[in-house]
Amino acid sequence: MEMIVNEMKIKEKPEKLSELLRHVSDNAGEKVTLGEIADAMADRSFGAFLVVFCLPNLIPLPPGATFVLGLPLVFIAFQMAFSRLDTIWLPKRLHYYAFDNKGFSAVLDKFVPWMQKAEKLIKPRFWPANSRFYERIIGLFSLLLALVIFLPIPLGNMGPAYALALMGLGLTERDGLVLAVGAVIGIVFSVVIGYIGYELVKLVPHFLHQIPLYWTTFLQFFS
């Protein structure tokens, strides 16, 4: 009897995100749809999709790539903050959007070992009862980080993406501690990137003021 109860507990225990993603890939055909991933994640879809779309942003990207890879994060975070639903909503076109399963599996091969190491430290803790309200607050901050990732800042996507991935893992497993760590990292990178952006903006008037001098020098050089 005790063995049966233990087996039931094991079956009831939610799968880890890495296991769910691998399960989706293993059971899909040549193509994987975003709808299949959303259905597999169910009520954990917000956090899961944050992690999924953060993965490509954890590596250095060529200029302009964040416009494509950062936009889904803005879409997800906006829903977290303002949607009335408990799960992510995908427009029909996105729901049936399919991509190559081999490429998806290759990405998982690279990042699942990292996720599995992180998951060993993740467990449900310090999570408030009113989780949807909590998710809305998280969504607002996630939206800020997603917008930072979306901006074409050289290497500016990696730090916020790492923070957002941690927040996604914490949200998926209802681990308030991991989520808080991700939020702190996100705040640090947001302040640093904001300061760098502020200093660059301050240089714009100086650069504009120097344009006539640069132009005169250019003409003299080729005259």
Side-chain angles (χ1 to χ4, degrees), residues 10 13 46 66 69 92 117 137 154 166 170 192 201 220:
I10 292 174
K13 185 179 180 180
F46 283 128
T66 53
L69 298 175
K92 187 176 181 180
K117 290 179 181 179
I137 302 300
L166 281 179
V192 171
V201 169
Q220 290 177 348

Side-chain angles (χ1 to χ4, degrees), residues 14-204:
E15 292 181 272
K16 297 294 185 182
L17 178 57
S18 60
E19 296 172 351
L20 283 170
L21 293 173
R22 181 61 71 184
H23 179 77
V24 171
S25 179
D26 291 343
N27 289 275
E30 294 183 358
K31 298 288 185 178
V32 180
T33 66
L34 292 178
E36 288 175 327
I37 298 177
D39 292 340
M41 301 306 153
D43 62 340
R44 297 190 288 173
S45 57
F46 283 128
F49 268 73
L50 281 181
V51 176
V52 168
F53 285 106
C54 276
L55 295 182
N57 287 285
L58 292 174
I59 58 177
L61 295 171
T66 53
F67 279 124
V68 177
L69 298 175
L71 190 58
L73 292 172
V74 176
F75 176 75
I76 296 163
F78 184 86
Q79 283 198 52
M80 286 175 61
F82 301 107
S83 174
R84 296 181 180 180
L85 302 176
D86 294 329
T87 59
I88 193 170
W89 171 82
L90 297 174
K92 187 176 181 180
R93 192 168 184 176
L94 282 179
H95 186 88
Y96 293 104
Y97 177 79
F99 48 91
D100 183 51
N101 190 18
K102 288 185 179 179
F104 181 57
S105 181
V107 171
L108 292 181
D109 288 340
K110 185 173 183 179
F111 289 104
V112 160
W114 172 83
M115 292 173 62
Q116 288 174 334
K117 290 179 181 179
E119 286 169 344
K120 290 180 181 179
L121 305 174
I122 298 175
K123 59 183 179 181
R125 53 188 166 182
F126 307 121
W127 199 261
N130 190 353
S131 59
R132 189 64 190 100
F133 174 77
Y134 196 38
E135 286 176 0
R136 291 184 187 279
I137 302 300
I138 299 167
L140 288 172
F141 183 61
S142 298
L143 183 58
L144 173 63
L145 291 178
L147 290 172
V148 173
I149 294 171
F150 179 73
L151 295 174
I153 303 172
L155 303 179
N157 62 305
M158 297 175 63
Y162 178 70
L164 207 51
L166 281 179
M167 291 174 63
L169 285 173
L171 184 61
T172 303
E173 300 297 333
R174 298 296 187 262
D175 190 334
L177 181 60
V178 170
L179 190 143
V181 171
V184 170
I185 294 174
I187 291 171
V188 171
F189 275 104
S190 297
V191 171
V192 171
I193 293 173
Y195 177 75
I196 293 173
Y198 173 73
E199 291 297 326
L200 290 176
V201 169
K202 284 172 60 178
L203 292 175
V204 171

